[in-house]
Amino acid sequence: MFVVVEGVVRLRDGKFVEGTQLLFAGEFLVGALTMAPFVVGIAYAGYWLDRSTIEPSGYTRVWWWTVAGTAAAVGLNVALMTVLPVQSTQTLVAWLRWAVAVGAGLGVGIGVTEARAIQQATVAERNAVRAEHLEVQRDLLDYLNSLLRHEVLNAANVISGYADLLQAEHEEGTSGYEHSETIRRKSDEVTGVVQDVRVLLHATEERADFERVDVVPILHEELEKLSDLHEDVVIETDLPETAVVHADALLPRVFGNVLANAVEHNDSDPPKVWVRSRVNEDTVTVDVEDNGPGLPEEDIPTLFERPSRRAADHGLGLYLVARLVEHYCGTVELLETGSEGSTFRITLPREPPEESTASPFVDPFSGERAEQSTGDGQ
């Protein structure tokens, strides 16, 4: 803008120096051309900073470097003006304009370079701290895995065994029989939670490549397990002969958790479960419907999130389902819920991801992404 104004002034004056109009004087053209790259650089630096990941504190450093560069350039050129002849006021203005542009351009360049270096160093330091934290956390999780396997799970199995012995000593319908049944049921719940955590730990430690897996036999097997655990459940199915997806050995956990959830929170007499599946061009969908009381409205927004407190109404099961299905590049959703029951839909791709045989898995404890697998139940 200053160059344009200066050019208009020179053209208006119409003066000539040694036969050349001031507008086309050599020093003016040379100054305008040599300062152009610095002006363009300043403009591009502003555009780049606005879209970069440099933190706002880095902008301040760029600003101070710009001021310092401008001051240094102006000071140096003023010193030169004191020993070199300046022919006119216009020449003085052009010289100062050139010094400001060059100094500001150099200052911006230095400031951006330094800001990028500081940002990269900060990110590297954060990554190193995060890696160290995750390593410590992994050691703690390994200890937790060992503790669960050798202490808690063994103790729960012993409790369950003694509960069965107590139950055998009492007739059905007596208080002793009911109390021993409660002990056994609660012991089984503890065992289920331990298995959930163990699968999560295993999933974050190892990566399993996807392979072709038929959903139909897995569903039949999980439904058979459900019938063994809940003898009064009524199951109806509408399944194709085959429904092949790309998954891994943890896929049964998905259906096992959803099916268990459909019965364990179902107070209907008898509890009913409908399982329907269809094969589309790119996906396989499985709907699991029950005749339970429906889900509390306040639980729906966080249904697939990790429980944040011990008093949560829903446990790890649906959270694990969501993480596993995400791992398979699929989706899980609550289609509907109400007093007449709930319906969950699981959609899985029939083909593996294009760039990788396994998608990034979110570590359930740290929230960090890792190239891993997952799973377990409620």
Side-chain angles (χ1 to χ4, degrees):
M1 184 178 68
F2 291 109
V3 175
V4 174
V5 172
E6 187 179 345
V8 171
V9 171
R10 285 171 173 261
L11 184 62
R12 183 196 63 188
D13 291 348
K15 296 180 180 179
F16 289 82
V17 177
E18 296 180 356
T20 303
Q21 192 178 23
L22 280 174
L23 177 62
F24 303 103
E27 70 273 10
F28 176 75
L29 292 178
V30 171
L33 292 175
T34 54
M35 69 174 282
F38 296 95
V39 174
V40 172
I42 294 172
Y44 178 75
Y47 173 85
W48 181 84
L49 282 172
D50 186 52
R51 290 160 177 77
S52 70
T53 59
I54 293 179
E55 297 178 355
S57 59
Y59 297 172
T60 304
R61 302 190 68 87
V62 174
W63 166 251
W64 282 114
W65 271 110
T66 303
V67 172
T70 302
V74 170
L76 177 62
N77 283 272
V78 168
L80 291 175
M81 292 177 191
T82 61
V83 297
L84 296 177
V86 179
Q87 297 178 351
S88 64
T89 302
Q90 290 177 335
T91 301
L92 176 64
V93 171
W95 196 341
L96 289 176
R97 175 253 303 158
W98 180 88
V100 168
V102 172
L106 292 175
V108 168
I110 296 173
V112 169
T113 302
E114 184 187 55
R116 288 184 62 184
I118 293 175
Q119 179 74 9
Q120 291 172 354
T122 301
V123 171
E125 183 178 359
R126 289 175 181 172
N127 290 338
V129 171
R130 185 181 296 113
E132 182 179 357
H133 171 72
L134 291 177
E135 183 65 26
V136 172
Q137 192 173 53
R138 172 54 55 193
D139 291 340
L140 292 175
L141 292 179
D142 288 340
Y143 172 74
L144 175 61
N145 190 20
S146 176
L147 181 66
L148 290 174
R149 181 184 296 113
H150 298 295
E151 302 295 337
V152 180
L153 188 58
N154 289 340
N157 290 335
V158 171
I159 293 172
S160 180
Y162 275 102
D164 291 338
L165 292 176
L166 287 174
Q167 193 173 54
E169 295 178 359
H170 295 83
E171 294 183 2
E172 186 173 355
T174 64
S175 59
Y177 185 93
E178 296 298 330
H179 292 162
S180 59
E181 173 63 21
T182 300
I183 294 173
R184 187 190 62 79
R185 186 173 63 254
K186 292 300 181 182
S187 176
D188 290 343
E189 290 178 4
V190 172
T191 300
V193 172
V194 171
Q195 290 174 341
D196 288 346
V197 176
R198 289 178 61 191
V199 169
L200 276 171
L201 294 173
H202 174 76
T204 60
E205 291 171 354
E206 297 182 2
R207 169 174 176 165
D209 291 339
F210 289 168
E211 59 184 3
R212 290 172 58 85
V213 180
D214 193 345
V215 169
V216 175
I218 292 177
L219 286 172
H220 284 306
E221 183 177 351
E222 294 302 318
L223 289 170
E224 184 177 348
K225 293 178 182 178
L226 189 68
S227 297
D228 291 340
L229 292 174
H230 306 276
E231 296 180 357
D232 58 339
V233 66
V234 177
I235 299 173
E236 295 184 12
T237 63
D238 180 13
L239 304 176
E241 293 185 2
T242 182
V244 177
V245 299
H246 277 78
D248 54 28
L250 294 174
L251 181 60
R253 295 284 186 177
V254 172
F255 303 114
N257 287 331
V258 176
L259 291 171
N261 187 74
V263 177
E264 291 173 359
H265 303 283
N266 191 337
D267 56 4
S268 300
D269 189 17
K272 295 183 180 180
V273 177
W274 293 268
V275 181
R276 306 179 183 90
S277 177
R278 67 175 182 271
V279 179
N280 301 316
E281 182 178 355
D282 300 319
T283 61
V284 170
T285 61
V286 177
D287 292 348
V288 178
E289 180 182 352
D290 62 61
N291 64 337
L295 296 167
E297 185 175 351
E298 61 271 16
D299 285 351
I300 295 177
T302 60
L303 194 61
F304 299 107
E305 295 181 5
R306 179 177 58 184
S308 59
R309 60 187 187 277
R310 207 177 286 271
D313 292 334
H314 59 279
L316 285 170
L318 293 178
Y319 167 69
L320 296 179
V321 169
R323 299 287 72 77
L324 272 172
V325 172
E326 179 185 2
H327 176 57
Y328 300 140
C329 300
T331 59
V332 57
E333 56 184 323
L334 175 66
L335 288 185
E336 57 181 350
T337 186
S339 58
E340 297 183 355
S342 303
T343 303
F344 286 87
R345 170 167 293 175
I346 300 164
T347 304
L348 298 171
R350 298 181 62 188
E351 297 297 331
E354 294 182 359
E355 297 182 358
S356 174
T357 55
S359 63
F361 172 66
V362 177
D363 188 313
F365 298 99
S366 68
E368 298 291 331
R369 282 194 172 272
E371 296 288 338
Q372 313 289 359
S373 56
T374 330
D376 213 349
Q378 178 168 313

